[in-house]
Structures are given as C-alpha cells and as structure tokens.
Amino acid sequence: MASRDFPNDILSGSADEAAIGLLGCLLIREFDDGGIAAARIVETEAYDQNDPASHAFHGRSERNAALFGPSGRAYVYISYGMHRCFNVSAGDDGFGAGALIRAVEPVRGVEIMRERRFANRSGSRTTVGNRKDVDLTNGPAKLCQAMGIDLKLYGHDLSTAPLYLERNALLEGERIAASPRIGISKAAERLRRFFIVDNPYVTKSPLNRRNTLLAG
DNA sequence: CGTTGGATCCGCT
DNA sequence: GCGGATCCAACGA
C-alpha cells in the first residue's frame, strides 16, 4: 500500500527545506515476509550541487543520478566500503539536491529492527550484550541496516511500497535546531544539519553544542 | 564515559 | 592511489 499523505510539497523545494520538513515525518518499510517497520525522522542533513560537500557537486554521474532526478526518490550509496546511507532527493528534476537521513526513532516493528541490527552476523560468535534500543537507528548506516535499505532501493519512488514517507507533525513542544554537518571536511561551517532538540536518537556530537535554534 | 584504530571498497579533482 | 555524508570493539580512566 502506498503512502496516504506523501509530503510532496516538502521535497519540491531546496535541500534545506526538505531536510527541515522531513523532521517528524514517518519512514515506513514493508518487508517481503509481511513485517512492517516504521520510524520517525529526527535528524537530517542538506546537500546540493552548489555545496562542495555534496556528492552532486562535481556534476551528474551514474552513482549520484538519483539526486538529479525528480524529488522524493531514494539516493542510496555505500560509505566506507561497508555501510549504506540513505538520502531523499529534493528539488526540480535536473538539479542535484537531497536530504541525508541521519537518525530515526522507531515507532513500530522494533523487534524487526533489533533482529536486523543485532542478529549474529555470518556465524560469528560476537557477544550481543550492551545492545540498547537507541543504538538501533541513531546513525545513518544503522538506520539503513535496521530498516533494510540497500542498493536495490536505489532510485525508488518514496511514495510507494515497500519504502515510503508519510507526513507527520512534530510533537507538542518539540524544537528544531541547525548545526554544522557531521563527518565532512568541505564546507564544514555551513549550518545544514537539522535535528529535533533533546531527542535521544539524534547523533551525539560536539557539533550539537554549536547549534542554532530555528524559529517555530 | 571518552578516545582510538581497524575494517573495506567504490568513484574520482 | 587516495579519501571518505561510518560503525564498533577495545581499551584507559
């Protein structure tokens, strides 16, 4: 089933508008076995083709094509050779822009996420201790693992199953802050990271202290 | 609780 | 060849 309230307007503008507007929205994943996982977006980063830190900065390529396509598509890439990161494309067709989803808060299917994240990998006998729910989805590669987002979903239309977005307002009293982005070296001063203040799933970072509270 | 180093591979100025 | 939009185990305090 497709999303009943896909936030099209949120994604059609700038990368910043998309990154801010996606906060609070639900990300829903339908697995092949019928299981469903859902999570609230609590931390994002904006990137676009005018930004030296963006994968779109050096122009369109096979890898980053989803960023240049229409808004509301999945841009998935491999990070550090072994992790996956998930972006939502933004802006007009032809303009490279998107929002990296850095953290989400589980609202449904926590058991599925726990299984996907913490099940013993390839027979190794690693101790599965000290595993807390906050570690399920408090990072860009973690949430991809928890929600089964991989390269097979590259370019996927995020208004349709098996992975889709749904509009959802912030909770009463929740505030949004902007900070520099995490883990980049280029354009490191730009305030293009956005997060819900005091949400436990937001990545802990010294950059959190250099934030600016946004109006609203 | 904070810091550090290793894993691992794709795409590129 | 090099450098990541990262994660986690293994320390030390």
Side-chain angles (χ1 to χ4, degrees):
Chain A
M1 92 181 61
S3 164
R4 281 192 196 141
D5 193 1
F6 181 70
N8 205 9
D9 51 321
I10 287 174
L11 305 175
S12 57
S14 69
D16 293 87
E17 288 167 341
I20 294 169
L22 281 171
L23 292 175
C25 287
L26 297 178
L27 181 66
I28 300 160
R29 175 74 160 103
E30 298 180 0
F31 292 98
D32 290 342
D33 65 2
I36 295 182
R40 236 175 120 234
I41 297 171
V42 298
E43 178 182 357
T44 59
E45 287 180 358
Y47 293 88
D48 65 54
Q49 65 180 53
N50 296 323
D51 184 336
S54 172
H55 292 167
F57 185 64
H58 297 292
R60 189 177 198 141
S61 68
E62 190 173 346
R63 177 202 192 200
N64 66 22
L67 290 173
F68 287 83
S71 62
R73 306 301 172 92
Y75 167 54
V76 186
Y77 70 94
I78 304 295
S79 175
Y80 292 89
M82 67 188 85
H83 299 298
R84 302 177 296 272
C85 289
F86 166 59
N87 293 243
V88 178
S89 67
D92 292 333
D93 197 354
F95 184 77
L100 169 71
I101 309 302
R102 277 202 59 90
V104 300
E105 174 178 23
V107 299
R108 179 176 173 186
V110 181
E111 290 304 326
I112 297 175
M113 299 188 200
R114 208 175 276 135
E115 181 71 19
R116 299 192 66 94
R117 284 274 299 139
F118 302 148
N120 285 352
R121 329 162 170 140
S122 59
S124 81
R125 252 173 304 141
T126 51
T127 310
V128 187
N130 279 2
R131 301 297 210 161
K132 302 195 300 185
D133 278 358
V134 74
D135 288 317
L136 289 172
T137 54
N138 64 348
K142 295 178 186 181
L143 71 91
C144 283
Q145 190 180 5
M147 301 198 68
I149 299 173
D150 58 24
L151 288 176
K152 290 197 291 291
L153 288 166
Y154 187 95
H156 173 72
D157 179 347
L158 293 168
S159 67
T160 66
L163 180 68
Y164 53 94
L165 293 164
E166 201 167 282
R167 186 187 311 277
N168 190 46
L170 295 177
L171 300 176
E172 185 74 23
E174 283 188 326
R175 288 290 182 272
I176 295 175
S179 85
R181 291 166 291 186
I182 293 179
I184 61 169
S185 55
K186 288 166 270 192
E189 299 310 307
R190 297 189 191 182
L191 300 178
R192 301 198 84 182
R193 169 174 176 251
F194 307 98
F195 58 95
I196 297 177
V197 177
D198 291 335
N199 184 285
Y201 287 83
V202 170
T203 309
K204 301 291 186 283
S205 165
L207 296 172
N208 290 1
R209 281 186 252 109
R210 295 175 49 199
N211 70 69
T212 302
L213 214 54
L214 298 193

